[in-house]
Amino acid sequence: MLSVVMVDDDALVLGSLQNILSGEEDIAVVGTAPSGAEAIDAVRAHRPDVVVMDLHLGAGMDGVEAIRRIREQLAPPAVLAVTAFGTDTHLHGALDAGATGFLLKEDATEFLATALRMAHEGDPMISPAMTSRLIASYVGPRTEPVCESARRRVSGLAEREIAVARLIGAGNTYEDIAGELFISPSTVKSTLASARAKIGADTSAQLAVIVAQARLDLNGQA
């Protein structure tokens, strides 16, 4: 059972997020908190696997600082940022503080359960609308010179590994990619793990950035 602590200063939002997970047999909400300080206390009390963290928590500590302090704890849980604010500042702030994923509240109904499972496994999920912006923030326009170091790093990747990395970069879930490539979600996961190991990427998002920087042609060739 995957245990979750949810943090949001709006009781209606907390109830809505809990309701989204009510039919998930492998996920249990073990605690909630309305503020950053109380979130830290809840994490210490419940020792959850994943924390769902709103970024705007009213007065006092904001969600980004709460993420940072939670991630500084001994054996910290994964943290999934779930917010209504899809700015680059919020995205980079949460990820830099140690969030494992970033989900817009408008996507929670469809993706929350999947994002929690992925965060628990250490593989980030970012809302599709934000993924392309994250990639774009690290990859310049097509007119810019190719990143030769990125090309060297991806030269040993198989065609399927490149395809999966690109689809991750486009904001697709494991299930989306499985359907697109006619493989199983578990094969998607193992393919990403293999590709990350080959090029030394810590996360699938980093893998997608490096593949994008390599500017491979449509056949996956440098």
Side-chain angles (χ1 to χ4, degrees):
M1 183 67 70
L2 193 159
S3 59
V4 177
V5 162
M6 289 188 164
V7 185
D8 200 296
D9 61 354
D10 188 328
L12 291 178
V13 172
L14 280 175
S16 176
L17 293 176
Q18 288 180 276
N19 185 59
I20 290 171
L21 298 176
S22 61
E24 305 296 331
E25 296 182 355
D26 62 327
I27 300 175
V29 178
V30 297
T32 62
S35 70
E38 289 170 282
I40 294 171
D41 291 339
V43 168
R44 289 170 177 159
H46 298 288
R47 309 306 301 176
D49 297 309
V50 186
V51 176
V52 170
M53 180 67 70
D54 185 25
L55 299 183
H56 281 259
L57 297 173
M61 188 189 307
D62 67 10
V64 171
E65 180 60 24
I67 292 172
R68 183 175 292 106
R69 295 193 187 187
I70 287 170
R71 292 297 299 165
E72 288 174 349
Q73 295 183 22
L74 183 65
V79 182
L80 174 68
V82 179
T83 179
F85 299 91
T87 69
D88 291 345
T89 299
H90 289 92
L91 174 63
H92 288 283
L95 297 180
D96 290 346
T100 308
F102 187 97
L103 192 66
L104 295 175
K105 287 180 178 177
E106 63 191 53
D107 294 330
T109 299
E110 183 175 0
F111 296 120
L112 180 58
T114 297
L116 286 169
R117 296 184 185 105
M118 290 177 66
H120 181 45
E121 294 173 356
D123 202 4
M125 176 178 176
I126 298 173
S127 275
M130 302 300 297
T131 307
S132 59
R133 287 165 58 180
L134 179 66
I135 300 297
S137 69
Y138 290 99
V139 181
R142 298 293 298 181
T143 55
E144 289 190 2
V146 170
C147 179
E148 294 297 340
S149 64
R151 284 206 167 183
R152 288 194 295 271
R153 292 179 73 178
V154 305
S155 62
L157 294 183
E159 183 176 344
R160 176 182 286 178
E161 292 169 335
I162 293 170
V164 170
R166 283 175 161 165
L167 289 168
I168 283 288
N172 294 279
T173 67
Y174 287 0
E175 289 75 15
D176 295 334
I177 297 170
E180 177 78 15
L181 300 181
F182 303 101
I183 56 179
S184 68
S186 62
T187 299
V188 173
K189 180 180 177 181
S190 62
T191 299
L192 286 168
S194 172
R196 290 198 306 268
K198 285 182 180 178
I199 69 173
D202 295 327
T203 67
S204 294
Q206 184 182 23
L207 169 68
V209 167
I210 294 169
V211 169
Q213 287 176 326
R215 303 191 190 285
L216 305 178
D217 64 27
L218 294 179
N219 295 317
Q221 302 299 313

